[in-house]
Amino acid sequence: DVKVTQSSRYLVKRTGEKVFLECVQDMDHENMFWYRQDPGLGLRLIYFSYDVKMKEKGDIPEGYSVSREKKERFSLILESASTNQTSMYLCASSLRNLQYFGAGTRLSVL
Amino acid sequence: AQRVTQPEKLLSVFKGAPVELKCNYSYSGSPELFWYVQYSRQRLQLLLRHISRESIKGFTADLNKGETSFHLKKPFAQEEDSAMYYCAPNRSNDYKLSFGAGTTVTVRA
C-alpha cells in the first residue's frame, strides 16, 4: 500500500511567518506534487517535482517555493505567510498518471 | 486554454436513484481521464480511470471523444456514495493532472 504522509494535519501561523509543510512517500515514486484545495476551485497545482532537486511551477506558484533534497521527501515553503494562503494543502506522489494523496494539512494564517 | 468543467457543484439524490456527474474537458490529443473521490474525513483517492473500463463501487464512466466528456454514472446510488468527486484529465505527455472544481454528492435515505 502506498503511503503518503504529511507531517501536520492542522497548522496555525501568523502573517509574515515562514512556514514549512512536509511530505514523505514510501513507494520510491519519482513524481511528487503540492496542491491547494479550496471550495469551488477544486485542486490547483502549486509545484511539481519529477526528480530529486528538480522542480517545476504549477498553476499558482506565487508566494510558494519547494525543496526536494531526497526522493522520498517534498517540502512546500511559504516564505512569508499571508492570510490568502489559508487553505487545505494536499501532497501527492505518482507512479506514471496514478496519483496517491496524503491526508492534507489545513493551514490557517492569522 | 486547456480546461476541465464539472458544471454541478452540488448534487442531491435519493437512495436507489440514478446519479450522473458531468465532466467536460477541452484538451487536445488523447488525454487519460480519471475520477477521484474524497469521502468525509478521508484522503482523496482514485475511483476509476477510463482506460481500465471497469466498474468500481457500481460506478462507470464513458469517454466520449466527440463530446469531450467523461461523465460518471451509477444506476442506484447508496448513502455511502456521499462524497466529493473530482474529474481529472492528465495534461498531454506528462504526469500532471488537472482537477475540476468538484461535485459534492449527497445521497439521502
Side-chain angles (χ1 to χ4, degrees), chain B residues 13-58:
Chain B
V13 299
F14 283 106
K15 179 181 173 182
V19 61
E20 181 179 32
L21 289 76
K22 293 186 170 54
C23 173
N24 290 91
Y25 63 93
S26 60
Y27 286 77
S28 58
S30 299
E32 187 173 2
L33 289 120
F34 303 84
W35 277 97
Y36 279 80
V37 61
Q38 189 169 29
Y39 301 103
S40 179
R41 297 190 179 85
Q42 293 188 30
R43 62 186 66 197
L44 193 62
Q45 59 187 285
L46 177 69
L47 179 62
L48 56 79
R49 57 195 299 194
H50 87 273
I51 63 169
S52 62
R53 296 181 176 274
E54 55 188 349
S55 172
I56 304 291
K57 299 185 179 183

Side-chain angles (χ1 to χ4, degrees), chain A residues 2-5 9 31 33 35 37-45 48 56-59 90 94-104, chain B residues 6 9 31-34 36-38 41-46 48-49 51 84 86 88-91 93-102:
Chain A
V2 176
K3 199 163 183 186
V4 180
T5 304
R9 285 304 307 271
N31 305 312
F33 308 80
Y35 296 90
Q37 182 182 29
D38 299 289
L41 297 176
L43 273 70
R44 292 179 291 167
L45 182 64
F48 162 56
E56 191 174 308
K57 291 181 180 178
D59 300 314
L90 299 183
S94 81
L95 177 63
R96 299 198 182 96
N97 280 331
L98 292 182
Q99 293 196 14
Y100 299 86
F101 286 84
Chain B
Q6 293 181 247
K9 286 189 177 178
E32 187 173 2
L33 289 120
F34 303 84
Y36 279 80
V37 61
Q38 189 169 29
R41 297 190 179 85
Q42 293 188 30
R43 62 186 66 197
L44 193 62
Q45 59 187 285
L46 177 69
L48 56 79
R49 57 195 299 194
I51 63 169
M84 172 74 92
Y86 293 98
N90 86 303
R91 306 184 197 190
N93 300 320
D94 64 28
Y95 300 131
K96 290 183 281 190
L97 298 178
S98 291
F99 286 84

Side-chain angles (χ1 to χ4, degrees), chain B residues 55-97:
Chain B
S55 172
I56 304 291
K57 299 185 179 183
F59 284 97
T60 58
D62 291 322
L63 175 60
N64 185 323
K65 289 186 179 181
E67 295 180 0
T68 59
S69 68
F70 187 53
H71 303 328
L72 182 69
K73 302 175 187 177
K74 184 168 181 176
F76 307 104
Q78 302 300 313
E79 289 179 76
E80 56 265 30
D81 297 325
S82 296
M84 172 74 92
Y85 293 80
Y86 293 98
C87 178
N90 86 303
R91 306 184 197 190
S92 56
N93 300 320
D94 64 28
Y95 300 131
K96 290 183 281 190
L97 298 178

Side-chain angles (χ1 to χ4, degrees), chain A residues 2-3 14 19 21-23 31 49-50 53 55 60 67 69 71 79 81 84 87 89 92 95 98-99 103 105:
Chain A
V2 176
K3 199 163 183 186
R14 295 204 177 276
V19 182
L21 302 183
E22 307 286 347
C23 175
N31 305 312
S49 170
Y50 49 91
K53 297 191 187 296
K55 61 186 179 184
I60 52 164
S67 171
E69 297 296 318
K71 193 173 187 179
E79 295 289 343
N84 62 13
S87 185
Y89 289 87
L95 177 63
L98 292 182
Q99 293 196 14
T105 296

